[in-house]
Amino acid sequence: MTDMPSGSEQAREDVSDEDVVPGWRPPLCALPRTTAVDNLTGSLIRRGLTEIGAKALSRAAVRPDDMRRKLAEPVELRVQGGTLLIAETRLWSAAVLPHPANPREYGHRQYALGGAGTWGTTMREPMSSPCGSAELTMRVESPAVIAGRLESAKNRLLRDNPLAQDIAVEGVLQPLTVVPLTVTHADGHAPCALLITADGSSRISAAHELMGYEPARVAYEWSDGRMLRGEIGRWTRLMRRQGWQDLTENERSRLRVLTVPARVVVGFSPNAQSDQAFHTAVRNFIGLTHIRPPRPYGPAVENEAKADAVLDSLADPGLSGVTHITAAEKGWFAGTIPEQEVIAAGLSGQYDVRAAEIVRSLLGGGTRTARRVNRGIRALTAKQRPKREERVDVVVELILRPARTGSNADAAFLRPRRAVLQRAYRLPEIESLSADTPMEGARPNGSALEQLRDAALAEAADGLGDSGRLGPAQTELAVKAAFHMAMAEPMALQREVFGGGGDEDDRGAATVLRAMLSRRHGVLQAYEIVRAGRGGGRLLEVDDTGAPVLADDGRPRSLTDALVRHRYGGGPAPVPDHEVGFKAASMSWASVRESAETLRKSVSAMAEVPLEEDGPSLVACDGWDPGQVREVREALDRISRSIAAWADRYEDRAQESVET
């Protein structure tokens, strides 16, 4: 592997789980000529649209001439009961609105039958235009009603389906399905034409959030073509005047959503036998999209697809001209080359070594690696900031690929192992692994397993793990042991217990591994796990010398999850009398950390005590005596100041070392 940061680079870069991305650079847009807008209006009217609806669509078109050409051969989109006729184009986001009666809000609506005063919050469904065109119509009491509903719809969409961060980087990728809606008002206010999304309300709401648009302003103020052109013109002039490189990231985000791809409904043909109304066809389309969509692939398939995209990203030299993994490693990680080719390429045939290399290549190396992996995930999902957990899930799917053959391919075998590895490889120490140090068994010049064991023993003797983080050798051995413990039958490492009794071990796999590798005994056990796993033998429990533990019948005792959790309970090892130095201090620090975790659990348990059976939390309702709370807080404050002083002294010593 190449292109990994040095130790100092990693210390500077590995500061966040997030990454900064360049994002999409949209083409330079210009306001269309008014003659092109007028020509499109005429063409739409000739297709049967009303004048008010045709003008709204024409003003919204980024390239009216292009949309006009597409009207000659619209795309057919079949829905239950008929066929929608579609023109695919780009629209100005300042001219498109979310559906004012968005079905996503059904579970939160209030209805007139519920009581006096509530009917005003109910939005009646749009109906078909009486003109017979592919348009909707809606009657409301006043502009305030539609303005309020549009604002409510936008706020709920932003809360329930937040997309603004992703769209800020890549713009809107999938086209919105846009339908003209004419709104009439009972108070005599002039009708207005809106372009609403039958599909894509979350996307347009996110775009409006980035642009700072208020739906009421879009609906009523910018229905005037002059004001709409003024808003668009100030952004197109900004891009033309300053150039992309001199814009702020906030300005770039806005320009990415200045326009949106759209499938504009310009016609409708009902089936002869149904004679279905247009508004029913639109509702059927919404139902097909959101209520009964195609069955999702599922997380495992999605992570498989992301994994291939990530490998492409890591093997792509990009602008730097340097790849993160070689072509041989890409095939090895992907599982697409036979074992003979793996060996011929100088790589290991051991599955745990492959697992550890995948973990190191996709999760280690700090922020630089995270950026490359996120680039691959983003290429498939357009997600701006994939989290570390998502990268771990991709890693696990790659690791499990060889297990998808033969008798182990069934879901009953793979599902629990996937869950355990996903938790085990969330071990934070993995991020600090660097490709600068050759891995054991990865290449001919790598260390032997025994050398990895001895290095891990030395780290444990120095107190690493007790102090809060495992050393590099401990971490590498933990990664490899976790693979064999998860793949064993029965599994020697399982998921934490959810909803169990107070005596059950609810620690996650990563926490169990850290407790295990912090002890000399645990290092010897991990070594035996890897050694036996590579030989295809049973995983056996070992004693303090590394020899197998014998059961009552005289046979070696198999290693199980229960034995591992019991042996490595996570508590600190006792500090021998007269012990001094870092090792003794690290054991005491482990006790501090355990006490802090115990306190956290105690506070959480107290917060769950109900006021009465099946009732709300007592402390949430009644609180607790301020004097008692103050006493505990003062004690905690004294402890906090003490350990904060230790951190300050550590930093001072580090600075003194640099200066000298």
Side-chain angles (χ1 to χ4, degrees), residues 187-372:
D187 66 355
H189 192 281
C192 69
L194 312 179
L195 301 181
I196 65 169
T197 53
D199 173 44
S201 290
S202 296
R203 281 165 278 163
I204 195 62
S205 295
H208 285 182
E209 177 72 4
L210 292 168
M211 296 296 294
Y213 291 163
E214 298 176 2
R217 191 176 186 189
V218 174
Y220 287 99
E221 293 185 26
W222 292 348
S223 58
D224 180 333
R226 182 180 57 82
M227 296 188 69
L228 175 65
R229 289 176 68 87
E231 168 62 19
I232 296 167
R234 74 186 184 98
W235 288 105
T236 56
R237 288 193 298 272
L238 176 68
M239 186 173 179
R240 186 180 302 107
R241 182 175 64 250
Q242 291 191 207
W244 186 256
Q245 298 301 325
D246 293 331
L247 296 172
T248 66
E249 186 54 34
N250 188 22
E251 291 168 338
R252 292 178 183 178
S253 296
R254 294 184 176 194
L255 284 167
R256 291 182 185 118
V257 297
L258 183 63
T259 71
V260 292
R263 300 186 299 183
V264 181
V265 179
V266 295
F268 172 63
S269 299
N271 294 343
Q273 63 272 28
S274 68
D275 195 27
Q276 184 167 267
F278 176 64
H279 73 273
T280 304
V282 172
R283 188 171 59 213
N284 290 345
F285 172 78
I286 295 173
L288 184 67
T289 305
H290 294 289
I291 299 174
R292 292 204 64 183
R295 182 178 178 181
Y297 287 145
V301 177
E302 292 173 5
N303 288 328
E304 282 268 57
K306 293 174 188 174
D308 284 329
V310 166
L311 293 181
D312 286 342
S313 174
L314 297 181
D316 180 9
L319 296 177
S320 68
V322 181
T323 62
H324 188 70
I325 60 174
T326 66
E329 287 172 329
K330 178 182 177 182
W332 187 34
F333 292 172
T336 56
I337 59 176
E339 189 170 337
Q340 301 91 311
E341 294 185 25
V342 170
I343 303 301
L347 302 171
S348 174
Q350 299 292 348
Y351 287 147
D352 69 285
V353 174
R354 172 181 173 272
E357 279 277 68
I358 292 173
V359 166
R360 185 189 292 267
S361 298
L362 274 69
L363 300 179
T367 304
R368 180 177 297 183
T369 301
R371 287 175 178 171
R372 284 185 177 266

Side-chain angles (χ1 to χ4, degrees), residues 379-610:
L380 199 64
T381 65
K383 189 173 184 179
Q384 180 189 4
R385 299 182 185 276
K387 299 296 183 182
R388 185 172 187 271
E389 290 75 12
E390 192 167 354
R391 298 193 290 273
V392 171
D393 293 348
V394 168
V395 162
V396 171
E397 290 308 318
L398 285 173
I399 290 171
L400 289 176
R401 283 187 176 184
R404 295 184 179 279
T405 58
S407 60
N408 293 337
D410 62 290
F413 178 87
L414 292 172
R415 188 179 297 114
R417 286 156 176 84
R418 175 183 296 113
V420 168
L421 291 177
Q422 286 173 343
R423 285 158 172 75
Y425 293 155
R426 289 176 186 172
L427 191 70
E429 289 89 328
I430 288 173
E431 296 180 10
S432 300
L433 292 176
S434 169
D436 295 340
T437 304
M439 290 181 62
E440 177 272 322
R443 295 174 182 79
N445 63 343
S447 303
L449 180 59
E450 289 71 22
Q451 291 174 296
L452 180 63
R453 175 200 61 195
D454 294 343
L457 286 171
E459 290 173 348
D462 287 340
L464 296 181
D466 285 325
S467 61
R469 291 185 70 86
L470 298 172
Q474 290 169 302
T475 303
E476 183 176 319
L477 192 55
V479 169
K480 293 176 177 178
F483 172 81
H484 289 294
M485 294 168 79
M487 301 305 291
E489 189 66 64
M491 296 170 64
L493 184 64
Q494 297 185 17
R495 286 178 53 175
E496 61 272 28
V497 176
F498 291 106
D503 295 334
E504 294 190 87
D505 189 344
D506 62 353
R507 292 175 299 157
T511 303
V512 174
L513 286 171
R514 181 183 293 111
M516 179 179 175
L517 272 296
S518 298
R519 304 283 171 265
R520 171 183 172 82
H521 187 185
V523 172
L524 295 176
Q525 181 67 77
Y527 164 76
E528 172 58 24
I529 288 169
V530 176
R531 190 198 63 78
R534 291 179 183 178
R538 287 189 304 133
L539 303 189
L540 303 177
E541 184 183 10
V542 299
D543 60 21
D544 292 340
T545 67
V549 174
L550 302 181
D552 293 340
D553 59 5
R555 291 185 295 181
R557 187 157 64 185
S558 294
L559 192 68
T560 65
D561 177 71
L563 285 172
V564 170
R565 289 178 178 274
H566 174 73
R567 172 67 73 171
Y568 310 105
V575 181
D577 293 339
H578 311 300
E579 188 75 18
V580 297
F582 181 77
K583 176 63 176 178
S586 67
M587 290 180 178
S588 296
W589 178 250
S591 181
V592 172
R593 293 176 61 246
E594 184 184 27
S595 299
E597 179 62 15
T598 300
L599 176 61
R600 184 193 65 78
K601 290 182 178 179
S602 297
V603 172
S604 297
M606 184 171 176
E608 294 174 0
V609 175

